[in-house]
Amino acid sequence: MDLEAVKRLRRSLTLHFAVIACLTAMLVATGSQSYFLPVFIFCVSVTALVFVDWLEWFEIGRIGSYVGMLAATAFSMVTYFYNAFTVPSESGQLLAIAGLLVYPEAVLFFQRKNLRVYEQLAVFLLLEMIVAALVNDNLLFGLLLSPIMMLWVSSLFLFSRYATLVQIDPSIETPVPILAEILYKRFMKSVVGEPRRQNIVTSVSSIHDVAVNSALRRTLQSFPIGAGAIAFAAFFFYLLPRTAPSEMSPSLGFEPRVGLPKTLNIGVVGRLLNDPTPVMRVSLTHAESGQPYELLQPPYLRARVMDTYGVNSRNTWSTQGEWIFGGIHEYRRLKTLDFLALPADTNRQIVNIEFDVKRRFAATLYACPPPYALEEEQSIRLSYDYFSMVMEENDPTKLPTGRSLVYTMGSAGFGEQTQLRVSPALIGTTNFSNSRNLYSLPRDFGEFSRVDNYRREILEQARVQSDDLFGSAAAIEGHLTTGPFSYTLDLRPPIDADIDPMEDFLLNQRRGHCQYFAAAMTVMLRQCGIPARIVVGYRPIEFNSYGKYFPVRQSDAHAWVEALFSREDLVGTSLEKWLTGEESFWVRFDPTPSAEGGAVSIIQQQGQAIDYAEKLWKDYVVEGQKLAGQGSLYAPVAANSKDAYDQLVESLTNLKQNLQDGRFFSVRSGIAFEWQITILIVFFGFMLIVLWRLVLLLPTLAPRLARRLGIMQSEPLVRQDFFARCLKLLQSRGFKRASDETPREFIDRASQALVAKDADPARPLSESLNFVTSVYYRLRFGLPGSVSPEESHSIGTTLEQLENATTKK
C-alpha cells in the first residue's frame, strides 16, 4: 500500500477538522464577546498539523493522552466555578462551558491520528456546534453555518475513504488502546500480535480509487449532500431555542447593570453615554396609511421620571445629587384612541410606534405621550401611569428564551413631522390621591440662594415678566443652550466641594452632559414656581433608511425637563394650536447644548445595510416574529398553529379518557374521521407502491429506458484493479469492449488480433491474457479467496508485457 497517499489523506482530513474547529470556536466567540478560544484552537491546530501530522516530530503518547484529557477537564471545571463563585461573569461561565469541549480537542490534535481520534474530534465539534447555536442569534452565525456544513460533508467523504483503507489494511494505523489494555500490557507483560495483512489484489477496490478520488466525482457527490446539509442546518437553527450570554438569567445573585437607572446620581448618565451597546429599534408609521412617518428631528423616547432631589432610595437625606421619583405610580391598562377625546379640528397626527427591545433591556417599557392602545393583540400587557406618563415595568423572565420584546402603541404626540413638546396632563381622569396633586411637586429649592440669584439675573437679561411662566422657562432653556455653557463628557473634579454638585456646575463648572443641564433647569423652574421634573429616556439620532427605523444604543441615553402649565399659560404661544380640551399640560424643555453647536439633526446610520440585514435575520429566521404579522404570507399558518401544542395535549388527554371509557372515535374527543382525507392518503400510498415496483421491474421490462434514466448502468463495473488496467491497456491498442460483450469474449477477440503481431515464444500474450481473465472470473463470480504470490507475479508480468507491447505501437 502507498503509505504516502495514506498520509496525505490523513493530513487532509486533519486539516478539515482543524478549520471546522476554528470556525466553530469563532461562532462561540461571537456570542461571548471573547476571542480567546478561536485564537487558542487556531494556534493548537496549526502547530499540531505542522509538527505532528506533517513533520512527525512529536506526538502525545498513550498515557499522555489520558493525562491531557483529565487536565483539560479539570482546568475547564475550575474556570467555570471560578467565574460562577468568585467573579460572577456570564460570559466567563459560557467560555468555561465551551472550553470543556475545546480543550480536549487540543489534546486530540496532538495525538497520532486514527479512526478513534477522528471520531472523538467529530463528537466534540458537534457538541460545540450545539453550544454555539444556543448562545448565538446574530447574522454571522448564519453566514458561517453554510461553509461549516460544506466542510463537514467533505470531511465525511474523506473519513469514509480512510475507514475503507483501514478495513483493507489495519496495519496503516496504530490505534490508541483503552486504559485497561495499557495497564494490562504494562503490568502483565502481555504481547499483542500484529494484525494479519490482507493482500491488496483480492480487495474489492483499489488504493488509487479510495485515496486519490477524482475531484470532479467528489464535487458531483457533494452537491446533493451539501444542499441537504445546508437545508438541515437552516431548519435546525430556525427551530432551536437559543439565547445570548448577556441575555442569560444571572446566577448566584449577580445582576448586571443594564438599561436606564432607577435613581439619578451625578454622572450616572455620563457612563451610559460612553456605552455603544444596542438597546432597541424604533419604527414610526402613519396610523391610517401604514407608511413610514419621517421625522425632521430625533424623537424623545420616555422611560422614567425623577421629581424628588436630595432623598435617596432609603428615604434618608443625601448630598450626592440624587434624584428619585417621590410619588406612587398608579398604573392602569392603556386606553384606546377614543379615550384621548381629541378635538375634531386637532392638528395632531396619529402615529403607530413599534418598539423592538432586546431581551436584556426588556424590563423597561418606553412611550411617546400621549399614548393609546391599538386594537391588535400585544405580546405583553401595556399599563400606563397617566401622571408620570411612563409605562409599567415588564418581567423579562416571562419572555420566550432568546426572544426580544416587540410591542406597538399609538401616539397623538406628533404633528408636522415633529414630536410635539406639549402633552395633556391627566387626560380624562382626576381621581388621584392628594399626594399626587399636580401642583405640589416636592421641594422648591428655596435654600439654593446663589442659584436663585443667578436665575433672577437670567430673567432680567431676557426681560421676562415674573408672571410669564412659559416665557421664564423658555428664557432659562435658551440661556443654558446658548450661554456660557458647553457640552462635554470629560468631567472635572468639583471646583468647590463644599456646595451642592448642581450649584458647582451652574456657578463654577458650566460644562457637563445632559444630566447636569436638566437638573439645573429643574431647580430654577421650581424657584420660579413652575412644577418641573426630570425625564430620562433615549434620543436616537441615527436613522436606518433601509428599514425605516431608529437604532437605539445606550449612548443615546438622554435627560430632559418637563414642566407643568395651565391652559392660560400657553395661550398666545407657539404651542397654542397643539392644545387639546384639557386644562393642564406638560411641556418638554431640552436645555442641553449640542456638542457640535446648533440643533441636533438626524444622521444616516453607519453600516445601516448590515444592521438591516441583522434585523431581517432576527425577524424572519431567529425569532420569526414577522411571519405572523398582519398581511404576512405566513399569517394564516401562524394563526392556525398558535395554540397547536395546547390543542395536541388536550386531544391526547381526551383520547386517553375515551379509551378508558371504551370509545375510540369520538367527535367530542377532537378526533374526527374524515373520509376524504383518508381516501387521498390511501390513494397516494398505493401510487407510491406501484411506482416503487415499476422502478424495480423497469430494467427487466425496458433495459434501454432503464439505462437512459440511470436506473441500470450501461456496462458492468470492473471491481478488480488489475483487470481494469488490462482493459485500459487494450483500449490504448484500439480494442474497445462492446456493451453486449462479456469480458471473456472481449479478451478472446483481442487475443486473436494480437497473436500474429505480439506472439512470445516463451508464453504467448493471448495465453497470458486468458490467465488474467480466469483469475478475474474466479474473484468476481467465484467464492472469496486470495491470490497466491505466483499468480500475483504472473499478473504483474502480463500487465508489463502488455504495456511494453503498447509502447512499441
Side-chain angles (χ1 to χ4, degrees):
M1 181 178 293
D2 190 356
L3 296 180
E4 288 299 325
V6 175
K7 291 182 179 180
R8 287 195 299 269
L9 177 60
R10 190 185 290 126
R11 286 195 294 264
S12 179
L13 185 56
T14 305
L15 178 62
H16 277 65
F17 278 115
V19 176
I20 294 174
C22 294
L23 293 179
T24 307
M26 182 64 70
L27 290 181
V28 176
T30 57
S32 62
Q33 303 299 321
S34 175
Y35 293 92
F36 168 74
L37 288 181
V39 172
F40 171 77
I41 199 64
F42 174 78
C43 296
V44 167
S45 59
V46 171
T47 303
L49 189 64
V50 174
F51 295 101
V52 176
D53 297 281
W54 184 23
L55 299 178
E56 299 181 354
W57 284 4
F58 70 94
E59 64 185 46
I60 295 181
R62 301 173 181 177
I63 298 295
S65 62
Y66 289 99
V67 174
M69 286 292 182
L70 292 176
T73 305
F75 181 76
S76 301
M77 296 300 296
V78 170
T79 304
Y80 175 79
F81 286 112
Y82 175 79
N83 286 280
F85 291 96
T86 307
V87 183
S89 170
E90 297 170 355
S91 60
Q93 296 177 32
L94 172 66
L95 285 176
I97 296 174
L100 192 61
L101 301 172
V102 174
Y103 298 142
E105 292 174 13
V107 178
L108 293 173
F109 275 117
F110 282 114
Q111 295 184 38
R112 176 180 292 181
K113 305 304 182 296
N114 52 46
L115 286 179
R116 181 181 297 179
V117 172
Y118 287 130
E119 291 171 353
Q120 292 174 349
L121 272 175
V123 171
F124 280 111
L125 289 174
L126 289 175
L127 293 176
E128 191 178 351
M129 283 286 295
I130 296 177
V131 173
L134 290 173
V135 301
N136 221 315
D137 63 350
N138 53 37
L139 183 62
L140 183 60
F141 185 94
L143 296 178
L144 291 181
L145 191 61
S146 295
I148 289 177
M149 296 307 299
M150 293 300 296
L151 284 172
W152 271 113
V153 172
S154 180
S155 300
L156 289 177
F157 278 118
L158 295 177
F159 182 78
S160 64
R161 295 194 198 103
Y162 184 72
T164 303
L165 292 179
V166 174
Q167 291 180 354
I168 294 174
D169 188 1
S171 64
I172 64 174
E173 68 171 23
T174 304
V176 178
I178 60 177
L179 183 60
E181 183 180 348
I182 295 176
L183 297 177
Y184 178 80
K185 293 178 63 177
R186 176 64 57 89
F187 298 103
M188 302 301 294
K189 306 298 183 181
S190 176
V191 179
V192 180
E194 294 293 333
R196 184 176 61 88
R197 296 174 62 90
Q198 185 179 359
N199 197 311
I200 189 62
V201 179
T202 63
S203 64
V204 297
S205 57
S206 66
I207 289 295
H208 182 78
D209 293 335
V210 175
V212 190
N213 205 347
S214 171
L216 179 60
R217 180 180 178 184
R218 291 198 303 268
T219 303
L220 295 177
Q221 290 175 341
S222 300
F223 269 117
I225 300 180
I230 293 176
F232 172 78
F235 188 70
F236 165 78
F237 179 74
Y238 178 76
L239 292 181
L240 189 68
R242 65 193 62 81
T243 181
S246 58
E247 298 169 350
M248 296 173 66
S249 300
S251 59
L252 303 176
F254 175 72
E255 183 176 356
R257 297 178 58 89
V258 296
L260 296 173
K262 295 184 178 180
T263 60
L264 203 60
N265 295 317
I266 292 296
V268 64
V269 176
R271 291 190 290 270
L272 296 179
L273 296 177
N274 291 305
D275 184 4
T277 304
V279 177
M280 58 182 168
R281 297 182 178 96
V282 179
S283 307
L284 288 79
T285 57
H286 289 274
E288 296 182 357
S289 64
Q291 298 298 319
Y293 185 82
E294 297 183 2
L295 289 174
L296 300 178
Q297 296 294 329
Y300 290 84
L301 308 177
R302 187 188 191 91
R304 293 192 174 94
V305 167
M306 314 291 175
D307 59 10
T308 303
Y309 182 74
V311 177
N312 62 18
S313 57
R314 296 178 297 276
N315 295 325
T316 57
W317 186 258
S318 172
T319 60
Q320 301 302 318
E322 184 179 59
W323 287 83
I324 65 170
F325 180 73
I328 301 175
H329 291 291
E330 296 183 10
Y331 295 106
R332 302 184 179 188
R333 190 176 184 89
L334 192 62
K335 306 297 182 181
T336 58
L337 180 61
D338 298 336
F339 180 77
L340 298 182
L342 297 176
D345 58 346
T346 182
N347 297 315
R348 294 171 177 263
Q349 295 174 326
I350 309 302
V351 176
N352 292 343
I353 309 174
E354 181 188 85
F355 297 90
D356 187 352
V357 189
K358 290 187 176 296
R359 180 182 174 86
R360 63 181 298 192
F361 300 97
T364 304
L365 302 184
Y366 308 88
C368 296
Y372 66 90
L374 302 179
E375 295 181 357
E376 62 185 64
E377 184 179 356
Q378 302 297 322
S379 58
I380 58 173
R381 176 187 174 94
L382 299 179
S383 299
Y384 186 67
D385 182 3
Y386 286 92
F387 175 75
S388 60
M389 298 192 297
V390 296
M391 304 296 296
E392 184 180 14
E393 288 195 355
N394 178 52
D395 185 2
T397 60
K398 296 182 179 180
L399 295 176
T401 303
R403 295 294 182 92
S404 59
L405 172 63
V406 180
Y407 65 96
T408 307
M409 65 175 59
S411 175
F414 295 85
E416 298 178 355
Q417 294 185 282
T418 59
Q419 186 176 6
L420 303 181
R421 297 176 56 189
V422 56
S423 298
L426 294 178
I427 302 176
T429 182
T430 57
N431 54 344
F432 282 86
S433 60
N434 294 330
S435 62
R436 302 291 300 279
N437 189 283
L438 293 177
Y439 298 97
S440 61
L441 292 178
R443 295 189 55 78
D444 58 359
F445 294 94
E447 70 278 8
F448 288 174
S449 58
R450 285 180 289 185
V451 174
D452 191 29
N453 293 333
Y454 187 76
R455 175 190 63 84
R456 295 178 186 273
E457 293 178 2
I458 295 175
L459 298 181
E460 289 178 1
Q461 293 177 1
R463 298 180 181 181
V464 178
Q465 299 296 327
S466 59
D467 58 347
D468 185 2
L469 299 182
F470 181 77
S472 300
I476 294 175
E477 181 189 36
H479 179 78
L480 292 176
T481 55
T482 60
F485 294 86
S486 60
Y487 179 89
T488 183
L489 294 177
D490 185 15
L491 303 178
R492 300 173 182 175
I495 296 178
D496 188 353
D498 296 331
I499 63 176
D500 189 89
M502 285 192 304
E503 290 184 284
D504 184 69
F505 161 74
L506 195 59
L507 303 175
N508 300 325
Q509 296 274 2
R510 297 187 175 182
R511 59 195 306 272
H513 49 74
C514 58
Q515 180 182 350
Y516 289 87
F517 289 95
M521 183 173 181
T522 302
V523 171
M524 290 189 286
L525 289 181
R526 297 277 185 88
Q527 292 176 339
C528 292
I530 304 174
R533 59 193 182 187
I534 299 176
V535 183
V536 179
Y538 293 100
R539 194 188 187 196
I541 63 174
E542 289 185 325
F543 183 75
N544 191 298
S545 58
Y546 293 104
K548 304 299 181 183
Y549 60 83
F550 289 92
V552 183
R553 305 178 184 274
Q554 284 277 67
S555 55
D556 294 321
H558 193 54
W560 59 92
V561 179
E562 197 170 57
L564 187 65
F565 298 93
S566 64
R567 172 181 289 275
E568 291 76 12
D569 295 331
L570 301 178
V571 172
T573 66
S574 59
L575 303 179
E576 181 179 1
K577 67 177 181 178
W578 306 115
L579 300 182
T580 61
E582 302 295 332
E583 295 298 326
S584 302
F585 299 89
W586 291 103
V587 178
R588 182 184 70 246
F589 294 93
D590 194 347
T592 304
S594 174
E596 294 81 11
V600 180
S601 59
I602 298 176
I603 62 176
Q604 295 294 323
Q605 180 190 11
Q606 295 182 357
Q608 57 181 342
I610 298 178
D611 187 80
Y612 182 54
E614 291 183 353
K615 175 178 170 56
L616 295 178
W617 175 261
K618 179 189 76 70
D619 291 342
Y620 291 96
V621 179
V622 177
E623 300 182 10
Q625 294 175 346
K626 295 299 182 181
L627 297 182
Q630 294 183 352
S632 171
L633 176 65
Y634 303 92
V637 179
N640 294 332
S641 61
K642 181 179 180 181
D643 299 324
Y645 179 77
D646 296 335
Q647 294 175 3
L648 175 61
V649 174
E650 182 180 359
S651 300
L652 294 177
T653 304
N654 294 333
L655 175 60
K656 177 182 177 181
Q657 185 63 36
N658 291 328
L659 291 176
Q660 293 176 352
D661 297 340
R663 293 179 288 114
F664 187 77
F665 293 109
S666 173
V667 178
R668 293 183 58 189
S669 66
I671 305 177
F673 195 77
E674 297 290 346
W675 290 102
Q676 297 86 349
I677 299 178
T678 305
I679 293 175
L680 287 177
I681 294 176
V682 173
F683 174 75
F684 282 113
F686 176 76
M687 293 301 297
L688 288 177
I689 295 176
V690 172
L691 181 62
W692 173 59
R693 295 302 301 175
L694 286 177
V695 171
L696 295 179
L697 296 175
L698 189 62
T700 304
L701 300 177
R704 294 185 179 180
L705 179 60
R707 292 191 187 97
R708 292 182 180 180
L709 296 178
I711 300 176
M712 185 178 70
Q713 298 183 9
S714 58
E715 294 184 8
L717 293 179
V718 178
R719 304 299 297 268
Q720 275 66 29
D721 58 332
F722 66 89
F723 194 70
R725 179 170 176 76
C726 179
L727 297 181
K728 186 176 181 180
L729 291 174
L730 289 174
Q731 185 178 0
S732 63
R733 293 295 303 270
F735 301 100
K736 185 177 181 180
R737 178 186 170 189
S739 59
D740 58 347
E741 196 173 22
T742 65
R744 174 69 68 182
E745 292 173 347
F746 171 66
I747 292 297
D748 291 341
R749 177 169 61 85
S751 300
Q752 294 177 4
L754 292 174
V755 167
K757 186 176 182 179
D758 297 321
D760 188 347
R763 186 175 186 179
L765 184 57
S766 59
E767 182 180 347
S768 301
L769 291 177
N770 289 330
F771 171 76
V772 172
T773 306
S774 300
V775 175
Y776 166 73
Y777 267 81
R778 190 189 71 194
L779 297 176
R780 179 67 176 84
F781 303 106
L783 296 176
S786 61
V787 178
S788 64
E790 293 78 8
E791 291 176 335
S792 179
H793 177 73
S794 299
I795 291 173
T797 303
T798 301
L799 295 178
E800 184 179 357
Q801 183 181 4
L802 184 59
E803 185 174 4
N804 294 333
T806 304
T807 306
K808 296 177 182 179
K809 180 182 176 181

